[in-house]
Amino acid sequence: DIGDLVVLMAKRRYLQQTDDNNNGNEESNDNSTRRVVSINQKMICHVFESDEAQSIAQSIGQAFQVAYVEFLKANGIDDPSFTRDIDYQEVLNQQEIGNEELDRFSKKECQKEVIVPKSKNESLGIVIVESGWGSMLPTVVIANMMPTGPAARCGHLNIGDQIISVNGISLVGLPLSSCQAQSVKHLTTVRLVVVPCPPVVEVLIRRPDTKYQLGFSVQNGIICSLLRGGIAERGGVRVGHRIIEINSHSVVATPHERIVSMLSNSVGELRMKTMPTQMYRLLTGQENPIYI
């Protein structure tokens, strides 16, 4: 489910028999003739639109799970690992996808166009970083602005804003190097489409018991990996982000072992604040900005 859309995909098998002629493919056994059957597969995709998209998707998922369990039982299979998967699915169903971010990127009115006047051969005066794997819309984020540069002078851009396009060229899904390579230095006007976003990302994960994994790993406060489809991804965790707070407690100067302990033992609602690591390092003076 994506916003008010439900996408249902299924693989369908088609059986195709040969014609009545032998064509060298028929095999005879005890005076009986057997036709050769070929199997073709197609992926069918249905798209539905409804205000109840999330509930519909959950109902479809639960229906398939129940049907599969009954199928296993009917065939004498009792798979406890699958039951555990169903338990985790129930936890997933309780985990809301970050609605604010979804609304922000799915609604055209949340985007704004910014015209940045500049001198020829003058840089824009911004530092951009990746939004982080796990973002609702993978693009680049303004991590720093030169105080006297064109981007800051125009007065319509802020640190944290995500850039959707530059002069009509979409940056969505492009690697950081390709976004940085967009040549605008020779221009006197640059047109940006951005989605205004706060520099700090707020994460909410619902975890009823420590037996359910959070679904991400952390090293020295930096999120290193993320389980695809887990409760952490749904809650807004992003790879490459620095954790700033855990349940309203600052962890900026907290040792790695303590952070791991706080995360591992969390039950109920886990609230975190994160930001791209390079943005954090720039804001705290640990790195010097390289403007484009």
Side-chain angles (χ1 to χ4, degrees), residues 21-40:
N21 295 323
N22 192 337
N23 293 329
N25 289 327
E26 292 178 353
E27 299 178 9
S28 296
N29 185 18
D30 297 332
N31 296 324
S32 63
T33 301
R34 211 174 49 206
R35 288 195 183 96
V36 175
V37 177
S38 63
I39 301 176
N40 296 320

Side-chain angles (χ1 to χ4, degrees), residues 178-227:
S178 298
C179 298
Q180 291 171 329
Q182 296 296 322
S183 180
V184 296
K185 208 166 185 180
H186 65 288
L187 301 174
T188 57
T189 300
V190 179
R191 179 168 54 89
L192 303 176
V193 175
V194 303
V195 174
C197 299
V200 173
V201 175
E202 297 194 7
V203 176
L204 171 59
I205 303 174
R206 291 189 171 92
R207 183 196 201 189
D209 194 285
T210 54
K211 70 179 181 180
Y212 302 109
Q213 60 178 325
L214 287 171
F216 69 96
S217 64
V218 61
Q219 182 65 44
N220 294 324
I222 299 172
I223 297 162
C224 303
S225 63
L226 181 63
L227 175 66

Side-chain angles (χ1 to χ4, degrees), residues 84-130:
R84 287 196 297 270
D85 290 342
I86 291 181
D87 288 342
Y88 188 66
Q89 184 62 46
E90 288 299 320
V91 176
L92 280 177
N93 292 341
Q94 295 169 18
Q95 175 64 53
E96 294 180 7
I97 298 176
N99 289 328
E100 287 185 9
E101 187 181 10
L102 186 61
D103 289 342
R104 196 179 291 135
F105 288 107
S106 62
K107 295 180 180 177
K108 197 76 173 177
E109 58 267 27
C110 292
Q111 298 181 6
K112 72 174 182 179
E113 185 176 275
V114 178
I115 305 298
V116 183
K118 57 184 279 298
S119 302
K120 193 173 182 179
N121 297 324
E122 184 183 22
S123 69
L124 269 177
I126 61 174
V127 179
I128 56 174
V129 299
E130 292 176 328

Side-chain angles (χ1 to χ4, degrees), residues 146-274:
M146 184 189 298
T148 58
R153 291 199 306 263
C154 82
H156 298 294
L157 295 170
N158 295 287
I159 292 175
D161 289 353
Q162 297 201 25
I163 304 175
I164 304 300
S165 67
V166 177
N167 292 329
I169 300 173
S170 175
L171 302 187
V172 176
L174 294 182
L176 180 62
S177 57
S178 298
C179 298
Q180 291 171 329
Q182 296 296 322
S183 180
V184 296
K185 208 166 185 180
H186 65 288
L187 301 174
T188 57
T189 300
V190 179
R191 179 168 54 89
L192 303 176
V193 175
V194 303
V195 174
C197 299
V200 173
V201 175
E202 297 194 7
V203 176
L204 171 59
I205 303 174
R206 291 189 171 92
R207 183 196 201 189
D209 194 285
T210 54
K211 70 179 181 180
Y212 302 109
Q213 60 178 325
L214 287 171
F216 69 96
S217 64
V218 61
Q219 182 65 44
N220 294 324
I222 299 172
I223 297 162
C224 303
S225 63
L226 181 63
L227 175 66
R228 187 69 174 175
I231 54 176
E233 184 193 21
R234 290 192 175 202
V237 170
R238 301 174 184 177
V239 172
H241 274 221
R242 176 69 158 83
I243 302 175
I244 310 300
E245 283 186 8
I246 298 176
N247 290 332
S248 301
H249 297 291
S250 173
V251 293
V252 168
T254 303
H256 168 72
E257 292 76 14
R258 174 59 180 155
I259 292 175
V260 170
S261 176
M262 293 172 71
L263 295 172
S264 300
N265 297 319
S266 65
V267 175
E269 289 191 349
L270 170 63
R271 295 181 180 271
M272 299 193 304
K273 290 185 178 180
T274 73

Side-chain angles (χ1 to χ4, degrees), residues 38-93:
S38 63
I39 301 176
N40 296 320
Q41 293 187 338
K42 279 188 177 182
M43 182 63 77
I44 310 298
C45 180
H46 302 278
V47 181
F48 306 95
E49 186 173 3
S50 169
D51 292 337
E52 303 297 325
Q54 189 175 18
S55 299
I56 293 171
Q58 289 177 2
S59 299
I60 293 172
Q62 290 167 357
F64 275 110
Q65 288 166 1
V66 171
Y68 187 53
V69 169
E70 292 303 317
F71 168 78
L72 292 177
K73 289 179 179 178
N75 287 273
I77 301 171
D78 186 11
D79 188 355
S81 65
F82 186 76
T83 304
R84 287 196 297 270
D85 290 342
I86 291 181
D87 288 342
Y88 188 66
Q89 184 62 46
E90 288 299 320
V91 176
L92 280 177
N93 292 341

